[in-house]
Amino acid sequence: GEPMTEREKVERWVREVAALRGTSIVVTNGTYGLPAPNEWPRTHYYVSCDGDRAGMDRVRGFDVVHKTNVFEQVKSVAFHRKDVKLAMTISKLNVDRIEAFIRETATWGIGGVVFSFATPNVGERQSFYLSAERKEQAVQEVLRLKREFKDFIAMGTRAIELLRPAEVARWS
């Protein structure tokens, strides 16, 4: 579930971890906001974002709970926050938006972006998920963009390469 619906519990956890000199990572969809910068000690945030506006609209659409566009919500919580990285889960719905996503969010003043692929549960319909060939093409695109955007893509080259279907098959 969404951790920020239990904000007090998460804050208590973060403060306990910080007291032990640890670092916390909060993964959220951003719809319940984030603490102010440096409000929670030693904390980094990963906010789910399924691409630029077009990609986000395809995957999540309009947030009926908060009565707003999900992409705008993500932008409002992440903007000018170096402690925030955006996490894009790539699927058939947004694979064509990778470059547009990077180009737009690179102007936001955030800590960077990371990528993963949507993975099916056993027995789930496969229409949402990419073929091995299309995943390989997406990995090549992220690697190409890594050369241009460097550390803004907050994954090492080897971590990106490990998303390749052949690498996943080799290690799983």
Side-chain angles (χ1 to χ4, degrees):
E2 170 54 41
M4 297 309 286
T5 61
E6 301 277 350
R7 190 180 186 114
E8 296 79 21
K9 289 179 183 176
V10 176
E11 182 176 7
R12 191 170 60 236
W13 172 263
V14 162
R15 292 193 183 284
E16 289 290 328
V17 169
L20 298 170
R21 310 214 21 88
T23 300
S24 294
I25 296 174
V26 176
V27 181
T28 174
N29 63 22
T31 57
Y32 290 88
L34 295 176
N38 301 313
E39 180 181 346
W40 288 2
R42 303 174 60 92
T43 304
H44 301 281
Y45 304 92
Y46 284 81
V47 178
S48 301
C49 188
D50 298 303
D52 64 342
R53 179 185 295 276
M56 200 72 165
D57 285 350
R58 285 185 212 152
V59 176
R60 297 185 193 246
F62 189 81
D63 182 344
V64 294
V65 173
H66 295 92
K67 309 278 190 268
T68 186
N69 179 278
V70 178
F71 183 76
E72 289 304 319
Q73 286 178 338
V74 169
K75 185 175 182 179
S76 71
V77 300
F79 206 72
H80 291 300
R81 295 277 305 256
K82 290 293 185 185
D83 59 339
V84 172
K85 291 182 176 67
L86 301 181
M88 180 180 180
T89 300
I90 303 168
S91 72
K92 281 186 181 177
L93 296 176
N94 63 5
V95 67
D96 63 326
R97 307 307 305 168
I98 296 169
E99 184 167 354
F101 167 68
I102 294 170
R103 291 197 183 283
E104 173 148 0
T105 58
T107 68
W108 290 7
I110 61 172
V113 295
V114 298
F115 298 92
S116 62
F117 286 109
T119 31
N121 293 319
V122 175
E124 225 177 271
R125 285 190 18 233
Q126 302 298 310
S127 61
F128 184 72
Y129 308 102
L130 296 170
S131 67
E133 179 181 328
R134 190 60 185 102
K135 280 183 185 178
E136 177 61 34
Q137 291 169 353
V139 169
Q140 289 174 19
E141 181 176 11
V142 173
L143 288 168
R144 175 182 62 79
L145 291 163
K146 172 79 172 165
R147 288 189 292 278
E148 179 179 347
F149 287 89
K150 314 242 181 288
D151 290 340
F152 183 72
I153 296 178
M155 302 169 69
T157 299
R158 183 65 182 138
I160 298 166
E161 290 171 344
L162 287 170
L163 294 173
R164 288 189 149 123
E167 291 286 350
V168 172
R170 182 175 163 203
W171 296 102
S172 59

